Amino acid sequence: GNTAERIEAPELVGDRIYFVVVRNAGPYDYEGRVSGTTINGTVKGPDGSSAPWKAQMVPLPLTDKR
C-alpha cells in the first residue's frame, strides 16, 4: 500500500551524507560515504536496530533529439 515518507535534515559534508527518512513507524537515520557513483552506509531504525544500505547511480540513456 501507499505510505507517507519524507526526507528531513539532508546534509553532505565532504564525502559523507546524512539524512532522516520519516515513515509511519518513525524516523530512520541514514549515514553513508559517497565514492564515485556509489553510496555505502548504515541505516538505524526507530527501535535502535541497524542495517547496511547501498545506493548506486544508474545512468539514463542519452537520446538524440535532432
Side-chain angles (χ1 to χ4, degrees):
N2 293 338
T3 60
E5 298 179 353
R6 67 182 183 276
I7 295 175
E8 295 183 347
E11 187 175 357
L12 183 62
V13 180
D15 66 348
R16 305 295 297 185
I17 187 167
Y18 307 91
F19 58 94
V20 177
V21 175
V22 179
R23 296 184 177 129
N24 293 337
Y28 290 79
D29 296 305
Y30 285 76
E31 65 84 21
R33 183 172 300 252
V34 180
S35 179
T37 59
T38 304
I39 304 172
N40 286 294
T42 303
V43 57
K44 186 173 181 181
D47 63 356
S49 64
S50 63
W53 69 276
K54 179 178 181 176
Q56 178 73 44
M57 184 180 82
V58 177
L60 296 174
L62 298 176
T63 58
D64 188 358
K65 300 213 179 205
R66 285 187 261 169

